[in-house]
Amino acid sequence: MKKTVFITGASRGIGRAAALCFAKNYYNVAICYNKNEAAANEVLAEINAFGGNAAVFKADVSDMAQVCNATQNARKAFGTIDVLINNAGIAQQKVFSDITEEDWDDMFDINVKGMFNTCKCVLDDMIDKKQGKIINISSIWGIAGASCEVHYSAAKAAVIGFTKALAKELAPSGICVNCVAPGVIKTDMLSSFDESTLSELAEETPLGRLGSPEDIAETLLFLASDKADFITGQVISPNGGFVI
Ligand code: NAP
C-alpha cells in the first residue's frame, strides 16, 4: 500500500524537492505551506503532471490549532500519515547584540515549537500503529555553531536534542526519529548572500560546491524507507564535508 508523507515547508527549497522526490517514489504527499499558496500549488501541479498523488494543506507550524487542522485534513485525504518531515524553518543573520526578543521568539516558535506541534498532532496515530518515521531538519550550524546566527544555531541545536530524546522514548513503539543537518544548500534561504559569498562558501566546502535541495531530498527518502529501519536518534549531515 502507498505510504503518506507530510512535509512542512514543502512550497519551496528543500521541502519542495522532497515533495517531488517522494511523489516520484510512489508516496502520497501532503504539501504543507504557510504563506506561499501559489508555490505550493505549483508543486502540486508538477506532481500531478507525472501522475503522482498529492494535496496541499496550509498551516503556520508555530500555531498548534492550524497544524492539527492540516494533519487531520491530510489523514482524511490519504487515510494515515506514515512519515513526518519537519522541514519548515527560518534563518536570520545578525550580530548577537542586534538580535531582538522578537527575533529570538520567531526563531524558536517556527524552528522548534513547529516541530513540537506537528509531532503532537501525528504521534497518537503512529503509536497506535506501532510504526512511523519522523525526520527533523536541523543544520550544520546546530552542530558547529555559526557566528552572527546565535539564535538560529541554538534553535537548530534544540532540534537535535529533541530528536535524540524522542527517538529513545518512541523506539519501543516502533517509531524512528532522526535528524538531517544540511550544509549550505542553494535555496531562497541564501537569498541575502551575494554571489561572491556564495562562491566562497562553495570553495570552503571540501566537495567544491554548494548542496542542492535534491541532495537533501535523497537523504530524506532513504531515512523514510525500510532500508533505514535500524537507524534512530541519529544526525545525518549531507554537507559536502563542510563540517566533519
Ligand atoms: P526556504 O527555501 O526559505 O523555504 C522555507 C520553507 O519553510 C517554505 O516552504 C516556507 O513556507 C516554510 N515556512 C517558513 N515559515 C513557516 C511557518 N511559520 N509555518 C510553516 N511553514 C513555514 O528554506 P530551505 O533552505 O528550503 O530550508 C528548509 C529547512 O532546511 C529549514 O528548516 C532550514 O533551516 C534548513 N536548512 C537549510 C539550509 C540551507 O542552506 N538552505 C541549511 C541547513 C538547514 P511558505 O513559503 O509557504 O511561507
Side-chain angles (χ1 to χ4, degrees):
M1 210 172 80
K2 259 189 156 184
K3 288 192 170 170
T4 298
V5 60
F6 188 95
I7 308 173
T8 66
S11 47
R12 294 185 285 123
I14 292 169
R16 174 184 179 280
L20 295 169
C21 175
F22 276 74
K24 281 182 189 145
N25 284 277
Y26 309 108
Y27 279 80
N28 301 314
V29 180
I31 301 162
C32 183
Y33 73 99
N34 183 31
K35 293 188 179 144
N36 247 302
E37 186 176 6
N41 281 327
E42 274 173 34
V43 179
L44 176 64
E46 264 192 74
I47 291 175
N48 287 339
F50 59 72
N53 195 26
V56 161
F57 304 92
K58 176 173 165 50
D60 177 341
V61 291
S62 66
D63 182 323
M64 176 72 92
Q66 290 188 35
V67 171
C68 281
N69 191 39
T71 53
Q72 265 169 21
N73 286 337
R75 270 196 292 264
K76 271 186 212 150
F78 300 123
T80 184
I81 293 170
D82 303 284
V83 179
L84 167 66
I85 300 181
N86 284 311
N87 165 75
I90 55 165
Q92 189 181 46
Q93 288 78 41
K94 271 190 176 181
V95 293
F96 182 69
S97 54
D98 286 349
I99 295 172
T100 63
E101 196 179 347
E102 196 187 350
D103 292 334
W104 179 272
D105 288 344
D106 283 349
M107 196 59 74
F108 274 74
D109 280 353
I110 296 169
N111 293 328
V112 184
K113 190 179 166 210
M115 170 185 65
F116 169 81
N117 288 343
T118 52
C119 288
K120 280 283 201 188
C121 295
V122 305
L123 264 179
D124 283 353
D125 211 29
M126 286 186 178
I127 290 168
D128 282 350
K129 287 187 301 178
K130 282 201 161 287
Q131 65 174 40
K133 304 255 172 158
I134 296 174
I135 309 167
N136 302 318
I137 308 292
S138 176
S139 161
I140 46 169
W141 306 129
I143 300 170
S147 165
C148 299
E149 295 192 59
V150 168
H151 50 348
Y152 183 72
S153 302
K156 291 303 189 182
V159 171
I160 293 173
F162 178 100
T163 300
K164 291 183 177 184
L166 195 63
K168 285 185 179 170
E169 191 169 321
L170 293 179
S173 300
I175 298 163
C176 296
V177 189
N178 287 294
C179 182
V180 170
V184 187
I185 310 300
K186 248 197 136 183
T187 70
D188 295 348
M189 199 166 263
L190 303 190
S191 58
S192 61
F193 297 135
D194 60 26
E195 276 309 317
S196 76
T197 308
L198 292 176
S199 310
E200 276 167 30
L201 285 166
E203 272 167 35
E204 268 180 68
T205 306
L207 283 177
R209 66 170 175 91
L210 300 182
S212 68
E214 290 73 24
D215 289 326
I216 308 307
E218 289 296 337
T219 309
L220 295 169
L221 185 68
F222 166 69
L223 282 175
S225 76
D226 298 350
K227 292 173 189 158
D229 277 353
F230 201 54
I231 301 176
T232 197
Q234 302 305 307
V235 181
I236 313 282
S237 187
N239 65 42
F242 201 98
V243 170
I244 292 180

